[in-house]
């Protein structure tokens, strides 16, 4: 797992979410305020996260609710514009996530020089978005075709708002995903953004694939992050960094700093 430190600059990294507002084509896009408002809020969050001391940032179309499993071109184009305009201000490693479309995420990563993507690459699920199927072989072949071999893949193996169609244990899912698909990182989530990752599920996943990095993907807080990092190899963090810890709000630099001070003390 040496590459973790090479990419993120530290062991046990905290990847912070930069949640983009609804964009053109999204149901809740504010046409009156336009893309300038989306960009201004993305810049605010990026700078607050960086000043607060996170190790990396991941841009996602979090407010493109309800999500698609095949993301539209206008969403990818809008995200590329925002990241492109912010690029000179980005001082830490960054990744992307076009919810919930691995092909679109890889296309965006190549266009913006992102170092990693997070997505649902494997499994078949009953979800809030209907029957959710995947084709990892097709995605990885596309990754090679577009020259994205160096983009690290974070596999979310416990998707939010979804459940495996068959009754498989987390140990079985982790082991077969690693054997068949060679993920760079496995991510374990709670039910939704901001919902706690079950520490027992996290522990069982990690113990079954000790040589593969496993990250907590949702619900990390100042009072839980030390315990989580005792199990996990890193964490993806979003909601707890928001003003009042609310998903809908902008990022609060003071909350970021408080959280990262605990993480940095833990890593000493």
């Amino acid at each position: 797992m040496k590459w973790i430190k090479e990419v993120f600059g530290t062991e046990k990294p905290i990847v912070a979410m930069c949640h983009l507002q609804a964009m053109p084509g999204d149901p809740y896009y504010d046409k009156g305020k336009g893309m300038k408002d989306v960009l201004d809020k993305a810049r605010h969050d990026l700078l607050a996260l960086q000043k607060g001391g996170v190790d990396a940032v991941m841009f996602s179309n979090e407010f493109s609710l309800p999500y698609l499993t095949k993301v539209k071109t206008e969403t990818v184009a809008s995200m590329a514009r925002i990241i492109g305009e912010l690029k000179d201000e980005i001082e830490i490693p960054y990744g992307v996530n076009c919810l919930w479309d691995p092909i679109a995420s890889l296309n965006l990563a190549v266009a913006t020089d992102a170092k990693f993507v997070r997505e649902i690459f494997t499994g078949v699920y009953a979800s809030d978005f209907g029957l959710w199927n995947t084709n990892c072989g097709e995605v990885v072949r596309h990754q090679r075709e577009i020259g994205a071999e160096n983009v690290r893949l974070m596999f979310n193996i416990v998707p939010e708002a979804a459940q495996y169609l068959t009754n498989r244990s987390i140990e079985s899912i982790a082991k077969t995903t690693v054997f068949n698909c060679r993920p760079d990182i496995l991510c374990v989530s709670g039910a939704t953004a901001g919902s706690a990752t079950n520490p027992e599920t996290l522990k069982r996943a990690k113990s079954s694939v000790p040589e593969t990095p496993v990250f907590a993907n949702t619900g990390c807080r100042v009072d839980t992050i030390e315990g989580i990092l005792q199990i996990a190899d890193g964490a993806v963090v979003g909601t707890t960094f928001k003003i009042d810890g609310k998903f809908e709000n902008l990022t609060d630099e003071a909350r970021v700093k408080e959280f990262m001070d605990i993480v940095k003390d833990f890593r000493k």
Side-chain angles (χ1 to χ4, degrees):
M1 292 187 283
K2 180 181 176 183
W3 73 265
I4 290 282
K5 189 169 184 179
E6 292 173 350
V7 170
F8 296 108
T10 184
E11 296 175 348
K12 304 276 186 177
I14 300 301
V15 179
M17 296 304 302
C18 186
H19 290 163
L20 304 182
Q21 300 296 309
M23 293 169 284
D26 291 335
Y28 303 107
Y29 174 58
D30 190 329
K31 296 178 183 177
K33 294 181 178 178
M35 279 291 288
K36 182 180 185 303
D37 184 65
V38 180
L39 177 60
D40 288 346
K41 288 177 178 175
R43 176 176 283 111
H44 171 279
D45 284 357
L46 169 66
L47 296 179
L49 292 168
Q50 288 186 158
K51 290 176 182 177
V54 301
D55 304 304
V57 65
M58 178 155 48
F59 298 93
S60 80
N61 57 321
E62 208 77 16
F63 293 104
S64 292
L65 292 159
Y67 302 129
L68 297 169
T69 54
K70 186 172 177 54
V71 172
K72 293 184 177 294
T73 303
E74 54 266 33
T75 302
V76 182
S78 296
M79 294 180 73
R81 175 191 166 184
I82 291 165
I83 296 168
E85 293 209 31
L86 294 176
K87 197 167 183 182
D88 288 344
E89 300 172 66
I90 303 174
E91 300 173 348
I92 54 179
Y94 61 94
V96 297
N97 187 190
C98 296
L99 299 162
W100 287 108
D101 186 337
I103 295 288
S105 296
L106 281 167
N107 291 342
L108 179 61
V110 169
T112 59
D113 297 322
K115 292 185 177 293
F116 56 92
V117 300
R118 179 193 62 181
E119 256 304 334
I120 311 300
F121 293 100
T122 56
V124 183
Y125 308 90
S127 81
D128 290 349
F129 319 115
L131 185 63
W132 188 350
N133 200 358
T134 60
N135 189 331
C136 189
E138 181 180 273
V139 172
V140 172
R141 283 165 176 78
H142 181 73
Q143 179 189 20
R144 280 10 181 217
E145 288 170 359
I146 63 174
E149 295 91 339
N150 294 326
V151 176
R152 297 290 182 170
L153 305 184
M154 301 173 70
F155 282 50
N156 190 347
I157 59 169
V158 185
E160 301 156 40
Q163 185 172 8
Y164 245 92
L165 284 183
T166 57
N167 186 23
R168 297 185 63 194
S169 68
I170 189 64
E171 291 90 346
S172 171
I173 295 168
K175 285 179 181 179
T176 60
T177 300
V178 168
F179 182 84
N180 288 314
C181 303
R182 314 295 173 86
D184 293 303
I185 294 172
L186 295 182
C187 293
V188 180
S189 306
T192 64
S195 297
T197 302
N198 187 320
E200 182 59 29
T201 303
L202 193 63
K203 187 181 297 183
R204 288 166 57 195
K206 181 59 188 176
S207 64
S208 66
V209 288
E211 301 304 315
T212 299
V214 175
F215 280 29
N217 194 51
T218 63
C220 299
R221 305 188 309 270
V222 292
D223 59 331
T224 63
I225 189 58
E226 287 184 286
I228 286 168
L229 291 181
Q230 288 173 1
I231 304 167
D233 301 294
V236 179
V237 183
T239 301
T240 200
F241 289 155
K242 304 292 189 78
I243 296 168
D244 298 326
K246 293 184 177 180
F247 172 75
E248 298 82 3
N249 292 343
L250 293 176
T251 299
D252 182 340
E253 182 183 334
R255 289 179 70 97
V256 180
K257 188 176 187 305
E258 178 188 16
F259 185 99
M260 289 307 301
D261 284 347
I262 293 171
V263 171
K264 289 170 184 176
D265 285 342
F266 174 84
R267 292 193 299 218
K268 286 180 180 178

